[in-house]
Amino acid sequence: MDFLKGLNPRQREAVTYDGGPLLILAGAGSGKTRVITHRIAYLIDARGVPSFAIVAMTFTNKAAGEMRDRVAGLLAGRHPIAGLTVSTFHSYCVRLLRRDGDSLAGLRPGFTRDFTIYDEEDQLALVKAVYRQLGLTEKSFMQYRAALGRISHAKSHKRGPEEMSRDAKEPVISKLAVVYNEYENRLRQANALDFDDLLLEAVRLLQHDDRLRAAYNERIQHVLVDEYQDTNRSQYELMRLLSEKRRNVCVVGDEDQSIYSWRGADIRNILDFEQDFKDAVTIRLEQNYRSTKNILEAASALVAHNTERKGKWLWTEAGAGARITVYEAHDSENEALWIADTIDRLAHTSPGDRAAILYRTNFQSRQIEEALRRYGLRYKVVGGFSFYQRAEIKDMLAFLKAALAPGDDVSLLRIINTPARGIGKTTIEQIEQQARLKRVSVWAAIESLIAEGQLPPRADAALRGFMNMMAALRALAASKPIHELMRGIAESTGYLDMLKADDSPDSESRIENVHELIHAAAEAAERGETAADFLDHAALISDADSVDEKAEVSLLTVHNAKGLEFPIVFIAGLEDGLFPHIRSLDSPGMMEEERRLCYVAMTRAEKRLFMSWAHYRRRFGGGPSEPAIPSRFLREVPQSLIERAGAGPGEVDLDADRMLVRDTVRKNMFTGKTYNSLENIAEFFQSRGLKPPAGPGMAPAGAPAAMPPPRAAGSPGVRAPEVPGLGMPGAQGGRPQAMQQAVPPAKPRTAAPKPPKRLQPGRVGSTIEHARYGRGTVVRREGEGEDAKLTVSFPGYGLKKLIAKYAGIKTEE
DNA sequence: TGATTGTTTGCTCCA
DNA sequence: CAAACAATCA
């Protein structure tokens, strides 16, 4: 097969290059994914590289899945790709540690391969616990998040608590070092790794275990890294360690799209690649196949304001296309309505074109969602609050974690009194004190407290009950498949009953979520996954994985939009302080990153690009509107490419008829987020039948037939590192072909038009008559009775705010 | 002592 | 409009 057909000369060069380190500078829309997938296919087919000798790293599970599918498609009927590894850095490291991590115990006391993973929430809980222990408060010391951020930063720069303490110039930092130290101690004691550790410890393992590293290098012939501009130090090191022998690294990136410095991404990785690899060859892909000329020019002009670049100028053969629309809204609500209105209009003029609404921060989505719902538009929200971040899911998983690993203090404390079982603050304090005193886990502390018999009778009984319950769960965990275990947890702990007894509006969806989790567990069990595998997936799932590219309207942050493209793109909230974000205003480096972020946003658009800002923006629900000024980025776009929209502040010509609201969809019912994540989870588990290597004490789980013989590793007598398991994606290779096409149709759980309920006078959605403006539709109502403030949309006049009792309005049926 | 209700904050982007 | 905390009630 000719994998070079349809590629331009530069792309072809990138696909076929065979001389060691290769840096592909791939501008936005230049066919980057195409090049990587073709290169992998080419290596396998034309160069005879076995698929298990190729490792490709991506940023999200979704990108990995797509890449794998595309390679499979290219090689269909010619080569099996069962052994091919396409993975995110994080899941790669988890698998590495779970499979071959034993020797890490020498470096990290207490480490075993059945470690647990602490996500950000767990990390925060840990920091809080440390604060409590040290008698610190957020007010008196430092915000939890800030502390965690600094700790994480120090960690990823390989600076331990001792160094932090030694170099501390201020007392705050010395104290922080103490927190840091205790934080690390507790992680170790619980045999838990946080997200930083996953990468760091994998790197340490490879650095120190020469035999393991050699085995991996023996096997791996090519390492490819996507989104290289967003790799951090650990990821860079991992890449080097895995490619030490053959030095066949191929990295693909675009320094103009580096947007993760806050997560430790080091832009120098890409800027200095040619120095780090002296014999590296750089190939530039500068032809853009995505956007119109106007969009491309505008974006390029914007990013040209940056200094930290290698410099490239994208070009396209596409036509100029429409100009970029910039809309100046009176307030954020008006902005949202304008977006909804424009999308509604575009649905007629360019049917079938998907639209994306991009924003800098998640909180912006709320108002936009509301506007879309008023227009009865279907939409999907990506991220924000994913399934696995939901309290009920985290609770359920905490039960599971605590049952599997009694040393997991964070999980245990999370559910020790959920549902309420009479273990209150004082008791918990007593337990924590005991744990500190004896330097044992919370579980062990409870045991010893009970044994000592010092507890008040009520607490004693409650704790005994809790211990028995957990012991029963543990027995269940040992004997039952994961979904029965989850069901057992939901029922025997009283968790489900607690939800059922709750009459708050969203308890129903919580129950649904719990069932969904059990359902997901059942599917996992069918694939032969263990509870530990299940937890790994839950920890490593990402928001971007839930992007549904077929959705007509998508709402997502710019970060989540990386790598995606849409015919129509809106960028909302272009105000100084929001985008660029306020925290970047006094730092040139951070400002450049914000600019790159805006560049990423703009270059997502294929045909039409809309940018908007609002004079007033409300940050919290009922809070005050704060004044804003337009983003500097709007000024950095050549004005000749811009077309202004709207009659002026507050004067959107919103067609009242279309505003006839299909009903106020009950809040929380279809917040997008909920249904979004429900689909997400089922899809995720279905499409990613990842089956990591067996846990400790178990034989490697049945490997697919396609798996190459494991003899590549080690000499007889020594426990051979099971490299093949990493050179291959587990059961994914054996995934039935049918499943790849049969993506389950998304359930239309959208805000479907409901039969309008009777509209009451002045209610949102009703029509009123005003003496001066005529008929209009009530768009928003604040307050009650005759004091209520109504926001009304009058055709020809735009949005007006009226006080019910003064406006002299008549209500119509 | 623990559970419930009221009050006050609030600030990212993510694997 | 949340969550996180303080001040109540049982």
Side-chain angles (χ1 to χ4, degrees):
Chain A
M1 178 181 277
D2 188 6
F3 294 117
L4 307 180
K5 232 185 349 203
L7 298 180
N8 69 36
R10 304 271 86 194
Q11 292 175 329
R12 207 168 297 173
E13 201 184 333
V15 166
T16 57
Y17 181 77
D18 189 20
L22 172 64
L23 167 63
I24 302 173
L25 284 179
S30 64
K32 178 188 66 159
T33 313
R34 202 173 152 79
V35 166
I36 301 184
T37 50
H38 280 249
R39 181 172 168 85
I40 294 173
Y42 174 83
L43 287 172
I44 292 173
D45 192 68
R47 293 295 163 94
V49 179
S51 62
F52 61 79
I54 297 175
V55 172
M57 302 288 192
T58 62
F59 235 61
T60 63
N61 292 299
K62 181 161 179 287
E66 274 172 14
M67 195 173 286
R68 158 171 293 276
D69 287 348
R70 284 174 70 165
V71 173
L74 288 171
L75 293 173
R78 299 173 62 89
H79 300 274
I81 58 155
L84 180 67
T85 297
V86 188
S87 173
T88 66
F89 277 101
H90 282 86
S91 31
Y92 189 86
C93 289
V94 168
R95 274 188 280 160
L96 172 66
L97 292 165
R98 290 243 187 263
R99 176 168 281 262
D100 296 314
D102 282 330
S103 64
L104 187 61
L107 301 165
R108 187 183 172 99
F111 175 85
T112 64
R113 289 187 294 132
D114 58 355
F115 61 90
T116 48
I117 301 170
Y118 276 4
D119 66 13
E120 196 179 343
E121 209 182 325
D122 299 328
Q123 290 176 268
L124 275 173
L126 202 51
V127 170
K128 282 181 198 174
V130 173
Y131 268 48
R132 252 180 283 140
Q133 173 188 338
L134 300 174
L136 300 169
T137 64
E138 268 192 304
K139 278 194 190 122
S140 71
F141 182 57
M142 191 189 288
Q143 297 216 323
Y144 299 135
R145 242 166 230 294
L148 187 59
R150 281 164 174 258
I151 290 172
S152 169
H153 186 263
K155 273 179 91 156
S156 43
H157 288 79
K158 299 208 166 62
R159 302 185 64 248
E162 316 77 30
E163 283 145 294
M164 182 186 275
S165 173
R166 175 162 39 82
D167 302 344
K169 293 190 183 71
E170 308 151 63
V172 198
I173 304 298
S174 319
K175 214 184 259 184
L176 181 64
V178 179
V179 176
Y180 181 10
N181 189 43
E182 188 56 27
Y183 173 85
E184 286 290 299
N185 285 343
R186 286 183 180 228
L187 273 181
R188 270 157 224 236
Q189 185 171 19
N191 189 23
L193 301 184
D194 63 20
F195 277 118
D196 296 319
D197 288 328
L198 294 180
L199 302 175
L200 286 165
E201 297 294 25
V203 166
R204 269 206 318 160
L205 174 68
L206 284 173
Q207 277 169 342
H208 287 87
D209 191 331
D210 296 338
R211 201 163 44 207
L212 186 68
R213 189 174 68 252
Y216 274 79
N217 271 279
E218 197 53 49
R219 165 160 231 95
I220 297 171
Q221 294 180 28
H222 286 268
V223 176
L224 298 95
V225 180
D226 191 16
E227 307 283 7
Y228 183 65
Q229 76 280 355
D230 284 323
T231 52
N232 64 24
R233 204 66 206 165
S234 305
Q235 289 163 332
Y236 172 83
E237 282 169 352
L238 184 73
M239 175 189 86
R240 291 204 77 142
L241 287 164
L242 293 177
S243 60
E244 188 178 71
K245 182 168 179 203
R246 296 190 178 78
R247 303 185 69 252
N248 282 324
V249 286
C250 168
V251 303
V252 188
D254 176 3
E255 82 277 11
D256 288 334
Q257 297 188 60
S258 170
I259 54 175
Y260 281 100
S261 72
W262 52 273
R263 206 171 66 189
D266 193 344
I267 195 169
R268 283 176 310 153
N269 284 353
I270 192 165
L271 294 177
D272 299 344
F273 186 83
E274 287 136 315
Q275 281 171 32
D276 293 348
F277 296 90
K278 290 283 183 242
D279 52 340
V281 161
T282 302
I283 296 175
R284 287 180 149 75
L285 304 179
E286 297 185 308
Q287 180 175 5
N288 174 293
Y289 296 95
R290 181 184 296 152
S291 311
T292 65
K293 198 169 272 168
N294 279 349
I295 292 172
L296 198 60
E297 261 182 47
S300 300
L302 173 84
V303 82
H305 284 80
N306 276 0
T307 58
E308 285 185 14
R309 352 174 29 211
K310 282 182 176 273
K312 59 181 150 19
W313 198 267
L314 298 186
W315 59 278
T316 176
E317 288 174 351
R323 282 193 289 176
I324 293 156
T325 304
V326 172
Y327 177 68
E328 174 181 351
H330 172 66
D331 57 16
S332 45
E333 183 180 14
N334 178 279
E335 177 190 46
L337 286 168
W338 173 76
I339 291 172
D341 193 67
T342 309
I343 288 178
D344 200 29
R345 245 194 287 262
L346 285 168
H348 301 294
T349 57
S350 50
D353 276 354
R354 295 168 300 113
I357 304 163
L358 310 184
Y359 35 80
R360 177 69 235 274
T361 60
N362 273 309
F363 84 90
Q364 290 169 260
S365 76
R366 189 167 309 185
Q367 277 184 316
I368 300 171
E369 283 182 67
E370 211 174 299
L372 291 170
R373 259 178 284 162
R374 281 190 197 152
Y375 271 77
L377 292 166
R378 303 185 40 160
Y379 65 91
K380 281 196 96 161
V381 183
V382 176
F385 207 71
S386 72
F387 186 78
Y388 283 99
Q389 287 173 300
R390 300 188 69 86
E392 61 273 19
I393 302 304
K394 291 221 60 171
D395 287 342
M396 291 284 294
L397 294 177
F399 277 113
L400 179 57
K401 282 160 114 180
L404 295 178
D408 183 349
D409 289 355
V410 168
S411 297
L412 196 73
L413 286 172
R414 181 183 178 103
I415 44 84
I416 194 166
N417 200 31
T418 312
R421 51 176 73 86
I423 304 172
K425 213 166 70 183
T426 350
T427 312
I428 290 171
E429 238 161 61
Q430 203 178 342
I431 294 167
E432 287 192 306
Q433 210 172 359
Q434 176 83 349
R436 242 171 282 144
L437 201 72
K438 304 220 160 166
R439 303 188 156 277
V440 292
S441 69
V442 168
W443 178 265
I446 300 174
E447 278 179 335
S448 74
L449 277 176
I450 291 177
E452 283 171 23
Q454 302 278 341
L455 290 161
R458 259 208 296 183
D460 187 82
L463 282 174
R464 280 172 194 271
F466 176 68
M467 300 294 272
N468 288 336
M469 188 185 80
M470 292 309 291
L473 287 183
R474 198 155 306 143
L476 211 60
S479 61
K480 296 281 184 186
I482 165 103
H483 58 289
E484 287 183 39
L485 174 57
M486 292 311 286
R487 188 179 304 281
I489 288 173
E491 284 162 7
S492 73
T493 62
Y495 194 81
L496 213 47
D497 290 335
M498 178 188 79
L499 293 181
K500 282 177 185 158
D502 182 8
D503 56 355
S504 70
D506 46 316
S507 67
E508 214 169 292
S509 77
R510 287 186 179 172
I511 293 169
E512 201 186 332
N513 285 335
V514 170
H515 284 130
E516 197 67 29
L517 185 68
I518 296 170
H519 182 66
E523 288 182 343
E526 261 173 47
R527 289 188 300 270
E529 287 184 21
T530 65
D533 301 336
F534 188 66
L535 285 172
D536 281 353
H537 291 312
L540 297 175
I541 199 166
S542 80
D543 288 339
D545 297 337
S546 73
V547 176
D548 172 5
E549 267 150 318
K550 277 170 292 203
E552 287 160 57
V553 180
S554 302
L555 275 70
L556 61 171
T557 63
V558 183
H559 283 92
N560 268 326
K562 189 171 82 160
L564 305 176
E565 55 188 20
F566 304 88
I568 301 165
V569 168
F570 291 81
I571 310 173
L574 279 152
E575 293 138 36
D576 262 23
L578 182 60
F579 197 2
H581 195 268
I582 188 154
R583 302 191 51 168
S584 67
L585 292 184
D586 49 1
S587 152
M590 287 169 85
M591 180 57 74
E592 293 215 347
E593 177 145 323
E594 295 287 310
R595 193 173 283 112
R596 289 192 293 269
L597 199 52
C598 189
Y599 174 76
V600 168
M602 294 173 75
T603 53
R604 298 310 95 198
E606 294 168 3
K607 301 183 192 166
R608 297 294 309 270
L609 176 59
F610 300 86
M611 302 168 92
S612 56
W613 71 281
H615 282 270
Y616 295 93
R617 182 169 298 276
R618 149 185 3 256
R619 210 134 37 129
F620 314 114
S625 276
E626 288 159 27
I629 59 166
S631 168
R632 63 194 67 191
F633 298 155
L634 287 173
R635 268 180 281 130
E636 292 172 1
V637 172
Q639 301 303 298
S640 59
L641 301 174
I642 287 177
E643 161 184 275
R644 311 259 158 200
E651 298 281 328
V652 203
D653 186 14
L654 297 168
D655 186 331
D657 287 338
R658 239 178 300 146
M659 286 301 294
L660 200 75
V661 181
R662 327 269 160 123
D663 181 23
T664 45
V665 177
R666 198 166 293 119
K667 274 193 81 186
N668 293 328
M669 205 151 162
F670 296 109
T671 58
K673 288 167 185 171
T674 313
Y675 73 79
N676 186 41
S677 25
L678 276 177
E679 276 169 19
N680 159 16
I681 177 190
E683 245 168 62
F684 178 85
F685 275 95
Q686 198 155 22
S687 63
R688 248 153 283 288
L690 276 180
K691 170 75 177 68
M698 295 171 72
M707 188 173 117
R711 74 180 149 74
S715 47
V718 199
R719 186 182 170 275
E722 288 145 353
V723 182
L726 278 165
M728 59 131 239
Q732 196 175 51
R735 169 163 143 216
Q737 203 73 329
M739 212 151 151
Q740 293 181 12
Q741 314 151 346
V743 176
K747 285 177 228 159
R749 291 199 219 187
T750 179
K754 298 192 142 193
K757 68 179 176 197
R758 260 182 54 97
L759 298 174
Q760 286 164 31
R763 272 292 152 94
V764 171
S766 66
T767 306
I768 58 153
E769 175 123 19
H770 187 271
R772 191 151 107 224
Y773 302 123
R775 285 174 51 146
T777 307
V778 178
V779 167
R780 186 186 171 90
R781 182 192 176 92
E782 295 159 280
E784 288 299 321
E786 55 177 12
D787 286 328
K789 271 185 264 177
L790 304 178
T791 306
V792 187
S793 169
F794 296 101
Y797 295 95
L799 292 176
K800 300 285 174 196
K801 285 215 164 171
L802 310 168
I803 308 279
K805 68 177 160 189
Y806 300 129
I809 48 175
K810 271 198 307 200
T811 325
E812 295 192 352
E813 251 318 293

